Amino acid sequence: MKKLFTQTIFFIALATFAWVGCKKDDHDHDHEHEEITQLAMTFTPISGGGPVVFQFTDPDGLGPMEPVRVEPTLRSNTAYKVTLKVMGKDKDLTDQIKKEAETHQFFFIRVPQNFIAFSYQDNDKNNLPIGLVNHVQTFGATRGVLTVVLRHELRKATANLNETNYPMAGGSTDIEASFNVVVVD
Amino acid sequence: MIALKSQLPKMRKRLITCMALILAGLYYPTIAQRENCHYSVSGKISNSNQQIIAGAVVYIKETQQQILTDPEGKFSFEHICTPQCTLVCQVVGMQPQEVVLELTPQGTYKEIILLENSQQLAEVEVKTTALLNSTQTVTELSAEAMERNKGKFLGEALKEIAGVSVLQTGPSIFKPVIHGLHSNRIIVLNNGVKQEGQQWGLDHAPEIDLQNVERLSVIKGAMAVRYGAEAMAGVVVVEPLPLKNLRGQRAEANFVGASNNRMGMLSMLYASEVKKVKGLAWKLQASTKKAGDAFAPNYNLSNTGFSELNFSTGVGYHKENKGIELYYSRFSTHLGILKAAHIGNLNDFRFALQSQQPWFVREFTYDLTTPRQYVSHDLAKISVYKTWQKVGTLHYQASLQYNQRQEFDTRRGDLTNVPAMFLQLLSQQNDISFEHFTHHNWKGLFGFNIYYQNNYNVPITRSRVFIPDYEAFDTGFYISEKYVKPQYEVELGARYDFRQMRTFQRSFQNRDSTFSSQRQFANFTSTLGFAYFLSENITFRTNIAKSWRPPAPNELFSFGLHHGSAAMEYGNADLQPESAYKWTTTLSQTHKHFSWEVTGYLQHFQNFIYLQPNPQGNLTINGYFPVFEYKQTRAFFQGIDATAEVEGLKNLFLRTKAAWLQAYNLRDRNYLPFIPANRIETSLTYKRKQWAKFEQIYLSISHLAVAEQKRYTAESDFAPPPPSYQLWQIDMQAERKINEKQSITVGFSVQNLLNTTYRDYMNRLRYFADEMGRNFIFRIKYNFVSE
């Protein structure tokens, strides 16, 4: 009995040390990312002419790097078709947003208010706007700040939902990107 | 592994030296007495529940010879010169006992049963007992408090101890806080094993099933010498049903139902000795619970449900002087976190603070949506010991813990059911200790630990890694000695720890690169304690300890958004180990009709690690986020815990407990955040041993007042601490015996009796929602005991 006892202890000690010794060290330490890294807004003049692209690029997503903006000018008294493109690292996330349109909506906050006019041109299954395709009308030469907000899991059916009262509809922010917009003659 | 190997020869040499020294000391007999003194007496000390009492002081009045009982509760005196002697036995929390014995040269054997000091008092609430070290302040939760907390979480039950509070994340996550400190600054010792989960996380509660806990106690002091670095504020000691000395059979079944979140809990326990093999016993325990969304007085706290499934089993074989035990337990939980706490950026956070009601409120359901967590914890251990007569006991314990944590966040497309965080933590621990019996009034132990840990990010999350993969080796050596006299005890201890940590991480600048870094930490821990028994029931204890801890992985490496707090957290790879001196002093008295205990403490930290807001903030494509960086400072904590109880009228007990604490950042001359507010709780309990066919009846009403935390630094938090609040609670319980072996216990409680709307500073969801409203809880327990 005594011998068995001693042997048991010895065996356990040996087994645990052996186990510790045999750990594997070939982990894959690199992982993919799904974060949004870029928002691109393409302004195409409806009456013809080359498009201009606003870009808000944040290559490290939620990391500490400062985002980079591309802010071309818009022409006064012009109607634009505005399409949005949302990019992740090596991946276009626009289709995903389109697929889950019922839980997503863009809002376009303009300061000063209505320095340019914005209207939604797309709808989800419930006939509620998404904001991936829009219509913009510029007026006289001016400047302002345009903030694009993408909300996720909001109650889109909330009555009179607009860019000033959207927090009431709940949900959380996936994109909040501001651009300096200069409208020239 | 290489580091471990190089440590081993050193360790062995040290161990041998230590052993030689102790052995030399043990065989240094007092020869002069031997000649004509041939009487001897031996025996065993236990309490009324037949639980053995180790560390009790036994002395012979006439000769002043005295020893402490060994871990088996045994004592023996030899070379007594007179044929008659008076044996005195005393231990804190018990009534001292004197026995006059007639001795024979063949040796006398005497079993002494000690009664708990003023038994009625001790049963009402928490009580103080001498566990391992009587110079430390140890507070144990009473059996009654354990009963009352059936169906709850470990952290909730611990709140019953003065000076212990919780850091909460809604109604499903409770992290214990001792004297204002938590996470990696306290140790949770689960069945003798240091619990290793992802304890750095503020929303990560200890993965322990309260239904499997037989005894729950807290050591309020830097008990680092025995249990390793990190026990800076204290140790939570969790003990399941012991198999040693188990006689006959024991079965228990519990059901708990709660109205607020429509929770149901069922637990069962069966333990039995094997009649054919003396000393062999086994047990089986399981519990399950399920709860839906909790309700605040004005709205539903949507997505705060949880479900748990837990299981444990053990088998033990104990002989006269040796034993072996195997134990396995599994804990698993699936819990939701208040949906409205999921926010995108600082603006969302501001909206949440301003709104009257959380943005997401739905009909009651048991279903969970994101954010949610799935956590499982497996523990397997083996422990063996052998006792050599008059020398001591050698213990060896090996354990394996496997902790899995999956956190699901609100995501898009095929990622909805993919966890945003998936960590697997494997911990292996070896503990060897040698406890020597009392010799020339010295009693103590020494030992060493070898720990290994591996943290792995399962690469399916497709999201940023919050803490990196790492592996850590820890080795520690310690010695703790106590000089014991009937009137006083002096305790000395020292410990050396070495930690080596290898990480596989991303750099700040280039998020895709993987590199390995290595860091080493080593330091000493020491303690000096003194206990003085002023009279039979007044005890004074004081203890000063130096402790340290290496920085935790999140403090070194965390990188990115902390979910639910709309803040970026950046680790600091250059952090130095934190060290502290803690001085704890306790004065207590136990009397037949009253008892009280006051504990005061001071703690000074060097290199205290904390999150400091960076005024720069961080602009991202998701908007603006405040940035918090891990920094180090000098910190100072001071506090008092007090408990008092008095039997005013017959059967009527008035009890009050209070906790007061202040914490300062000395370098920046401001206050540290997330420090529990001062509180006082008063209860009035009516108790009767018997009424009609019921026994052990009690009826209690209690009132809790929590002050507003006025000591906070404005820029360190998003919102000022919530105002003070008061809560009322009632509890009642009665036992009905079916026969000699079986009984049924029924209990009923109402928490938040007045359905008060309030928020607590220590709840991380206080920015978003109120606390739970009124809750009716019903408990029924079936108990079977046969000898």
Side-chain angles (χ1 to χ4, degrees):
Chain A
M1 185 62 214
K2 192 174 182 178
K3 201 177 171 192
L4 185 74
F5 195 81
T6 325
Q7 276 174 354
T8 316
I9 296 175
F10 182 74
F11 174 76
I12 294 155
L14 198 74
T16 48
F17 280 103
W19 186 86
V20 167
C22 299
K23 51 136 215 83
K24 60 179 190 297
D25 194 18
D26 52 359
H27 293 158
D28 166 23
H29 295 288
D30 201 11
H31 310 286
E32 272 182 70
H33 303 280
E34 56 132 6
E35 286 169 8
I36 296 167
T37 55
Q38 192 186 56
L39 171 72
M41 293 178 88
T42 308
F43 285 70
T44 314
I46 292 169
S47 54
V52 290
V53 183
F54 282 73
Q55 280 179 10
F56 191 101
T57 314
D58 193 7
D60 68 340
L62 294 174
M65 278 167 71
E66 274 292 299
V68 180
R69 293 185 185 86
V70 177
E71 297 163 327
T73 54
L74 297 181
R75 299 208 68 82
S76 60
N77 299 310
T78 310
Y80 288 96
K81 183 190 178 194
V82 179
T83 54
L84 272 66
K85 195 170 147 189
V86 177
M87 291 292 291
K89 190 175 166 289
D90 317 318
K91 201 177 175 186
D92 192 337
L93 301 171
T94 320
D95 279 346
Q96 271 189 15
I97 293 167
K98 215 178 282 175
K99 217 181 279 173
E100 293 175 23
E102 292 75 36
T103 59
H104 286 91
Q105 188 171 346
F106 285 93
F107 294 94
F108 303 90
I109 304 151
R110 286 145 283 158
V111 178
Q113 215 173 355
N114 287 324
F115 76 98
I116 50 175
F118 236 102
S119 61
Y120 292 106
Q121 295 292 311
D122 53 358
N123 281 323
D124 64 14
K125 283 175 203 150
N126 307 319
N127 255 341
L128 293 165
I130 311 166
L132 283 168
V133 184
N134 309 278
H135 182 272
V136 165
Q137 174 68 51
T138 60
F139 307 113
T142 181
R143 56 171 59 228
V145 176
L146 169 69
T147 305
V148 182
V149 173
L150 172 61
R151 298 284 283 184
H152 190 190
E153 291 206 320
L154 73 169
R155 291 180 297 270
K156 289 181 75 172
T158 307
N160 300 320
L161 194 59
N162 63 38
E163 73 276 6
T164 53
N165 66 13
Y166 68 86
M168 282 167 43
S172 61
T173 303
D174 275 357
I175 295 177
E176 187 176 316
S178 296
F179 299 95
N180 292 302
V181 178
V182 180
V183 183
V184 294
D185 285 320
Chain B
M1 201 55 220
I2 298 154
L4 192 67
K5 271 178 192 152
S6 64
Q7 286 295 311
L8 274 173
K10 260 189 227 166
M11 225 149 54
R12 202 173 298 141
K13 216 176 271 176
R14 201 177 282 231
L15 184 72
I16 291 166
T17 322
C18 282
M19 271 186 151
L21 279 172
I22 301 254
L23 290 178
L26 284 168
Y27 290 105
Y28 178 73
T30 40
I31 300 160
Q33 284 186 0
R34 277 195 172 175
E35 298 306 315
N36 300 316
C37 306
H38 49 268
Y39 295 103
S40 70
V41 59
S42 65
K44 197 170 135 184
I45 312 280
S46 59
N47 69 8
S48 49
N49 299 329
Q50 295 187 327
Q51 286 171 316
I52 49 158
I53 300 173
V57 179
V58 185
Y59 65 97
I60 298 170
K61 232 179 181 175
E62 292 82 3
T63 62
Q64 285 296 313
Q65 274 175 279
Q66 62 112 356
I67 63 166
L68 289 182
T69 53
D70 67 16
E72 310 268 308
K74 289 178 186 160
F75 65 89
S76 82
F77 292 100
E78 285 175 37
H79 316 300
I80 304 168
C81 310
T82 53
Q84 195 192 48
C85 77
T86 313
L87 211 58
V88 183
C89 176
Q90 65 182 44
V91 66
V92 184
M94 301 280 180
Q95 291 172 10
Q97 204 172 327
E98 277 190 30
V99 197
V100 182
L101 291 172
E102 297 293 335
L103 303 179
T104 60
Q106 288 78 38
T108 308
Y109 187 79
K110 177 76 188 167
E111 285 199 13
I112 299 172
I113 293 166
L114 291 184
L115 297 175
E116 276 172 5
N117 221 335
S118 50
Q119 240 173 351
Q120 275 200 316
L121 280 173
E123 273 173 22
V124 175
E125 281 286 340
V126 289
K127 63 186 180 198
T128 303
T129 54
L131 264 187
L132 295 156
N133 281 290
S134 52
T135 73
Q136 295 277 354
T137 304
V138 183
T139 311
E140 187 185 340
L141 216 61
S142 70
E144 220 167 80
M146 288 297 294
E147 206 64 55
R148 186 169 53 233
N149 284 292
K150 279 260 153 55
K152 295 194 192 165
F153 295 100
L154 182 77
E156 284 181 285
L158 284 166
K159 268 202 301 190
E160 300 236 1
I161 296 172
V164 181
S165 49
V166 288
L167 180 61
Q168 223 180 311
T169 305
S172 54
I173 300 172
F174 293 83
K175 250 178 116 65
V177 179
I178 303 173
H179 288 169
L181 299 168
H182 53 81
S183 301
N184 290 80
R185 293 189 181 100
I186 65 169
I187 282 180
V188 177
L189 204 68
N190 181 12
N191 195 10
V193 178
K194 187 181 166 196
Q195 179 84 2
E196 290 286 357
Q198 304 285 357
Q199 63 260 48
W200 50 266
L202 299 181
D203 54 348
H204 302 168
E207 303 84 355
I208 294 171
D209 176 20
L210 185 65
Q211 311 344 301
N212 185 25
V213 181
E214 185 80 4
R215 298 176 68 178
L216 189 57
S217 44
V218 170
I219 304 170
K220 294 178 194 168
M223 226 342 226
V225 171
R226 178 84 190 262
Y227 303 119
E230 296 193 337
M232 304 189 90
V235 182
V236 174
V237 184
V238 177
E239 293 164 278
L241 178 75
L243 287 173
K244 201 172 173 181
N245 300 316
L246 184 84
R247 300 278 171 272
Q249 288 166 295
R250 202 184 136 178
E252 195 185 301
N254 283 283
F255 171 78
V256 178
S259 68
N260 186 298
N261 51 0
R262 301 183 207 172
M263 186 207 72
M265 191 284 288
L266 195 64
S267 80
M268 268 174 271
L269 166 77
Y270 182 77
S272 171
E273 67 172 329
V274 178
K275 279 266 151 58
K276 284 176 185 162
V277 189
K278 197 176 176 292
L280 186 65
W282 63 281
K283 65 176 172 179
L284 196 62
Q285 177 270 342
S287 82
T288 182
K289 60 178 160 179
K290 191 167 177 74
D293 297 335
F295 284 86
N298 300 316
Y299 42 78
N300 176 281
L301 297 168
S302 299
N303 200 41
T304 55
F306 53 86
S307 61
E308 270 184 30
L309 185 63
N310 311 309
F311 160 83
S312 75
T313 184
V315 57
Y317 180 65
H318 296 277
K319 296 288 279 184
E320 189 76 353
N321 54 4
K322 60 193 168 194
I324 181 163
E325 245 180 63
L326 289 161
Y327 178 79
Y328 170 78
S329 70
R330 180 179 169 82
F331 170 92
S332 67
T333 183
H334 202 157
L335 61 92
I337 292 172
L338 186 77
K339 177 83 174 169
H342 177 86
I343 39 164
N345 63 17
L346 190 63
N347 276 338
D348 290 12
F349 204 100
R350 291 202 180 111
F351 296 136
L353 286 177
Q354 286 157 11
S355 66
Q356 290 295 306
Q357 169 166 321
W359 67 261
F360 184 84
V361 175
R362 62 176 179 192
E363 286 285 292
F364 171 87
T365 174
Y366 284 97
D367 299 337
L368 297 181
T369 176
T370 55
R372 60 192 171 91
Q373 302 181 354
Y374 175 76
V375 186
S376 71
H377 193 93
D378 291 84
L379 162 67
K381 79 157 198 175
I382 180 161
S383 55
V384 289
Y385 67 89
K386 180 158 169 59
T387 303
W388 286 272
Q389 285 300 319
K390 297 176 195 166
V391 182
T393 306
L394 182 69
H395 297 266
Y396 172 68
Q397 176 176 293
S399 68
L400 194 58
Q401 289 176 80
Y402 182 56
N403 186 288
Q404 283 206 76
R405 168 170 288 275
Q406 297 179 41
E407 297 189 3
F408 297 84
D409 217 336
T410 306
R411 305 171 93 183
R412 259 180 298 278
D414 54 345
L415 292 177
T416 309
N417 290 312
V418 175
M421 182 190 266
F422 191 170
L423 294 168
Q424 292 178 340
L425 183 72
L426 196 61
S427 309
Q428 208 278 320
Q429 304 181 354
N430 288 280
D431 300 284
I432 297 176
S433 69
F434 184 79
E435 195 170 350
H436 71 83
F437 293 150
T438 312
H439 186 77
H440 288 271
N441 297 85
W442 286 96
K443 176 186 165 62
L445 81 166
F446 59 89
F448 68 92
N449 321 111
I450 301 171
Y451 295 170
Y452 168 78
Q453 192 168 65
N454 187 325
N455 184 51
Y456 178 54
N457 282 280
V458 182
I460 61 158
T461 60
R462 287 197 270 159
S463 66
R464 186 185 295 277
V465 170
F466 190 72
I467 62 161
D469 294 353
Y470 67 85
E471 58 178 6
F473 284 106
D474 294 279
T475 43
F477 309 87
Y478 63 91
I479 180 156
S480 173
E481 287 291 321
K482 209 156 65 161
Y483 184 76
V484 185
K485 283 281 192 184
Q487 279 300 301
Y488 66 90
E489 291 178 8
V490 182
E491 187 188 0
L492 294 155
R495 181 184 176 94
Y496 177 77
D497 279 288
F498 175 80
R499 160 169 272 221
Q500 188 174 44
M501 196 172 176
R502 279 209 306 159
T503 46
F504 309 92
Q505 64 161 136
R506 254 149 270 267
S507 74
F508 250 37
Q509 286 72 31
N510 184 357
R511 56 190 276 203
D512 296 321
S513 72
T514 295
F515 72 84
S516 172
S517 72
Q518 187 163 319
R519 281 202 71 180
Q520 288 169 355
F521 305 98
N523 215 330
F524 282 99
T525 302
S526 51
T527 180
L528 174 65
F530 179 70
Y532 190 74
F533 309 105
L534 290 159
S535 75
E536 276 171 14
N537 47 31
I538 302 180
T539 310
F540 170 78
R541 293 188 195 87
T542 189
N543 184 290
I544 186 157
K546 177 190 177 287
S547 59
W548 75 287
R549 70 173 182 106
N554 65 315
E555 293 161 343
L556 291 168
F557 306 112
S558 72
F559 178 73
L561 187 66
H562 200 108
H563 296 285
S565 66
M568 296 287 181
E569 256 184 51
Y570 292 137
N572 178 353
D574 299 323
L575 290 176
Q576 293 305 305
E578 189 176 281
S579 67
Y581 285 94
K582 183 169 183 178
W583 183 24
T584 317
T585 300
T586 300
L587 195 61
S588 63
Q589 183 177 16
T590 317
H591 195 268
K592 201 173 177 201
H593 295 291
F594 65 89
S595 70
W596 54 267
E597 180 179 298
V598 179
T599 301
Y601 56 93
L602 302 171
Q603 190 162 22
H604 182 272
F605 281 88
Q606 283 290 347
N607 294 328
F608 183 83
I609 302 168
Y610 73 109
L611 277 173
Q612 194 185 46
N614 180 336
Q616 287 277 301
N618 181 9
L619 183 70
T620 75
I621 196 160
N622 282 46
Y624 180 82
F625 291 91
V627 167
F628 289 86
E629 284 167 353
Y630 282 101
K631 296 277 180 190
Q632 298 193 288
T633 185
R634 284 180 299 122
F636 185 69
F637 286 67
Q638 58 184 20
I640 295 171
D641 312 327
T643 309
E645 185 172 309
V646 60
E647 186 179 3
L649 297 163
K650 193 170 160 36
N651 296 332
L652 202 59
F653 298 83
L654 182 69
R655 183 172 200 276
T656 182
K657 73 178 184 221
W660 176 86
L661 165 63
Q662 293 181 345
Y664 304 95
N665 178 340
L666 294 179
R667 197 197 53 206
D668 299 340
R669 291 170 186 276
N670 55 24
Y671 302 110
L672 289 169
F674 278 118
I675 298 300
N678 301 334
R679 64 192 58 220
I680 184 161
E681 192 176 347
T682 311
S683 66
L684 193 63
T685 306
Y686 176 77
K687 295 188 71 165
R688 273 187 78 161
K689 278 242 178 282
Q690 193 125 28
W691 181 74
K693 284 177 174 172
F694 295 99
E695 290 173 37
Q696 309 293 347
I697 303 127
Y698 81 85
L699 190 69
S700 154
I701 180 154
S702 57
H703 172 260
L704 170 73
V706 177
E708 183 180 331
Q709 181 55 282
K710 294 240 165 83
R711 296 165 190 280
Y712 83 106
T713 309
E715 64 269 25
S716 71
D717 204 342
F718 300 101
S724 61
Y725 63 87
Q726 298 181 47
L727 295 178
W728 291 87
Q729 176 167 335
I730 50 175
D731 295 285
M732 55 190 82
Q733 188 170 301
E735 185 183 323
R736 173 87 190 259
K737 279 229 162 22
I738 301 169
N739 54 36
E740 271 303 296
K741 291 174 178 175
Q742 299 174 80
S743 67
I744 299 260
T745 308
V746 179
F748 179 71
S749 302
V750 187
Q751 292 178 326
N752 194 357
L753 188 66
L754 304 179
N755 209 19
T756 307
T757 299
Y758 71 104
R759 295 188 185 198
D760 188 272
Y761 180 54
M762 294 295 281
N763 190 336
R764 295 179 64 250
L765 301 189
R766 70 181 162 91
Y767 309 110
F768 310 101
D770 296 330
E771 295 281 338
M772 222 161 140
R774 189 186 292 127
N775 193 10
F776 297 94
I777 301 167
F778 172 76
R779 301 181 298 274
I780 184 160
K781 172 173 132 177
Y782 165 80
N783 203 26
F784 172 90
V785 181
S786 88
E787 289 297 316

